[in-house]
Amino acid sequence: MIAEMIGVPEPSPDDSFVELGGDSLTALQVAIVAEERWGAEVDVQEIVVAGTVREIHERLLASIRSAAPQNT
């Protein structure tokens, strides 16, 4: 998904979001798409500060997991 937003076909997990061309507008788009697709709620600032594609992915996964219903 991040690749779609930035326009980079296959970013490395260790690539910097900002160095790939990501900015606050792109981060907003990532946050909106993540919420629409998976119910992930991630602050735009968290995406920009996260740094790498891997870190953004981990934050999105953590948000998805916390939003998922727990089996008790």
Side-chain angles (χ1 to χ4, degrees), residues 9 33 44 48:
V33 170
V44 172
V48 175

Side-chain angles (χ1 to χ4, degrees), residues 17 27-28 30-31 42-51 56 59-60:
F17 176 75
L28 178 61
V30 170
V42 179
D43 186 83
V44 172
Q45 186 67 20
E46 285 185 49
I47 294 171
V48 175
V49 172
I56 295 167
R59 289 175 190 244
L60 291 171

Side-chain angles (χ1 to χ4, degrees), residues 12-24:
S12 163
D14 296 318
D15 284 344
S16 165
F17 176 75
V18 174
E19 288 178 11
L20 289 172
D23 56 19
S24 58

Side-chain angles (χ1 to χ4, degrees), residues 34-67:
E35 185 172 2
E36 288 174 350
R37 289 186 187 176
W38 306 296
E41 293 185 23
V42 179
D43 186 83
V44 172
Q45 186 67 20
E46 285 185 49
I47 294 171
V48 175
V49 172
T52 66
V53 171
R54 179 189 323 274
E55 291 167 335
I56 295 167
H57 179 76
E58 289 170 358
R59 289 175 190 244
L60 291 171
L61 285 176
S63 177
I64 292 166
R65 287 183 186 125
S66 69

